Amino acid sequence: QVQLVESGGGLVQPGGSLRLSCAASGRIFSIHAVAWYRQALGKQRELVATITGGGETHYADSVKGRFTISRDIAKKTMYLQMNSLNPEDTAVYYCNADVVSDPLRPSLDAWGQGTLVTVSS
């Protein structure tokens, strides 16, 4: 059993910053790629940022230069630093991780429950 728990969401004014965290727990042998997604009201879930097991990062065009994805392997925690937030960033943010619980079995596609980010004045 693997759990991902996000935290750090909330209300922020335009131009402000937030840092989301995603803590993994349970039976974890290793974590490969990690991603952050978001889903705004009435819209499809979209990929925001990814970081591979080797540390390579990729970002959606809409957040490039403003968001930074990172991970602390020892703490099994992933982060999304969000700067220069604007109302279009308002959404529920989800973390997603490719988790190996048993090296002899396929990896698991784990999801967190989501954390709401609201950007408004």
Side-chain angles (χ1 to χ4, degrees):
Q1 189 79 3
V2 175
Q3 287 186 322
L4 300 182
V5 178
E6 300 102 333
S7 60
L11 174 64
V12 63
Q13 292 188 339
S17 298
L18 281 176
R19 188 175 83 152
L20 305 183
S21 299
C22 174
S25 62
R27 185 178 178 187
I28 299 172
F29 178 79
S30 64
I31 300 175
H32 294 164
V34 175
W36 286 93
Y37 288 76
R38 67 184 181 186
Q39 186 167 19
L41 191 63
K43 295 186 178 181
Q44 289 188 327
R45 189 173 297 190
E46 64 172 347
L47 178 63
V48 175
T50 63
I51 184 167
T52 67
E56 185 176 348
T57 59
H58 299 275
Y59 297 93
D61 288 343
S62 59
V63 306
K64 276 182 184 176
R66 300 189 298 123
F67 290 12
T68 303
I69 187 172
S70 62
R71 60 193 295 175
D72 185 323
I73 295 174
K75 294 183 178 179
K76 299 184 180 65
T77 301
M78 294 70 73
Y79 305 97
L80 185 67
Q81 177 67 43
M82 306 185 295
N83 299 327
S84 301
L85 286 161
N86 58 63
E88 290 71 38
D89 297 315
T90 295
V92 177
Y93 284 71
Y94 300 88
C95 66
N96 167 247
D98 183 22
V99 180
V100 177
S101 291
D102 182 340
L104 298 180
R105 292 181 176 273
S107 59
L108 305 173
D109 185 33
W111 287 86
Q113 82 290 347
T115 185
L116 177 63
V117 172
T118 304
V119 184
S120 175
S121 55

